[in-house]
Amino acid sequence: MGDTRRTYGPLELVQGHWVVGDSQRPDGRWVEFRAEGMVRHAGGPEEQLIPWSRVMLGMTVQIGHGTKGSAYQGELGLTGILGGLPGPFKGRGGGHLGMTLRHPYEDRKLTFDRHARWYRPTHILLLAELMTQTVAAGDAHRLGDADWLERAVGRLELVTSWPIGSQPAAVVEAALKDRPTP
């Protein structure tokens, strides 16, 4: 895959690996998707690897401080919006991937620093839905397959309108309907 950069919300392809968050920021925080699982980097030694088999129920994406009670898995709070606009807040703040893990059962939030660029709300919503559907299908390990994730993101990039209601699930389902079986 080379050094090509491709982005979809906070998800970014960097040197053949998908990461969530700004991996180029000195002493930054980001989450790397690997074949064996997720690793959160925090400007120092790597933290514990979370194997894909531990992730259950899906994953949420929150940028900034979201609103409680949202029906969606992806949220863009006020500070998340401000961090993408020109001015003193540009590139500030971060977000997290939320998930429930098994063996032992625990809720986990993997924090990351946001990029200075604007994240489209549609991308955040569909990225969360993509991760949730992939985990629910028992295919969480696919998120660590750079080629598979690139194809999935490529299909989701074709969606340019704001999905509302139950459409995010249908949009992602349609984009993944011909996914190969593991």
Side-chain angles (χ1 to χ4, degrees):
M1 288 207 189
D3 292 337
T4 304
R5 284 185 176 245
R6 185 171 191 179
T7 63
Y8 192 78
L11 183 68
E12 180 176 41
L13 180 63
V14 179
Q15 298 179 353
H17 295 278
W18 286 97
V19 299
V20 177
D22 188 355
S23 64
Q24 303 303 306
R25 183 179 297 198
D27 296 325
R29 300 169 299 164
W30 72 93
V31 179
E32 181 180 358
F33 288 0
R34 296 182 182 172
E36 62 274 12
M38 294 177 282
V39 175
R40 182 179 167 265
H41 297 267
E46 292 181 3
E47 291 191 10
Q48 176 184 1
L49 172 76
I50 299 173
W52 294 114
S53 61
R54 288 198 63 205
V55 181
M56 55 185 287
L57 306 176
M59 297 167 62
T60 62
V61 179
Q62 183 172 335
I63 309 298
H65 299 292
T67 56
K68 298 207 183 272
S70 172
Y72 298 113
Q73 305 290 352
E75 293 183 357
L76 181 64
L78 180 59
T79 56
I81 293 169
L82 292 175
L85 297 175
F89 295 106
K90 186 171 185 72
R92 292 186 179 244
H96 70 264
L97 297 178
M99 65 203 74
T100 300
L101 304 176
R102 67 179 112 225
H103 309 302
Y105 291 102
E106 62 181 299
D107 289 330
R108 181 77 63 93
K109 290 184 180 180
L110 301 179
T111 57
F112 57 86
D113 292 321
R114 71 161 297 130
H115 300 87
R117 71 179 187 288
W118 172 253
Y119 297 152
R120 291 181 180 185
T122 303
H123 290 182
I124 295 165
L125 186 66
L126 293 178
L127 175 60
E129 185 63 34
L130 168 69
M131 292 189 295
T132 293
Q133 283 191 28
T134 303
V135 169
D139 292 337
H141 65 280
R142 292 246 182 238
L143 297 172
D145 179 340
D147 293 329
W148 181 88
L149 192 52
E150 185 168 14
R151 283 189 303 276
V153 166
R155 291 176 183 158
L156 293 177
E157 284 175 330
L158 301 174
V159 178
T160 57
S161 62
W162 176 255
I164 57 172
S166 62
Q167 286 184 334
V171 166
V172 171
E173 188 175 318
L176 299 180
K177 73 177 178 180
D178 64 338
R179 65 178 152 201
T181 56

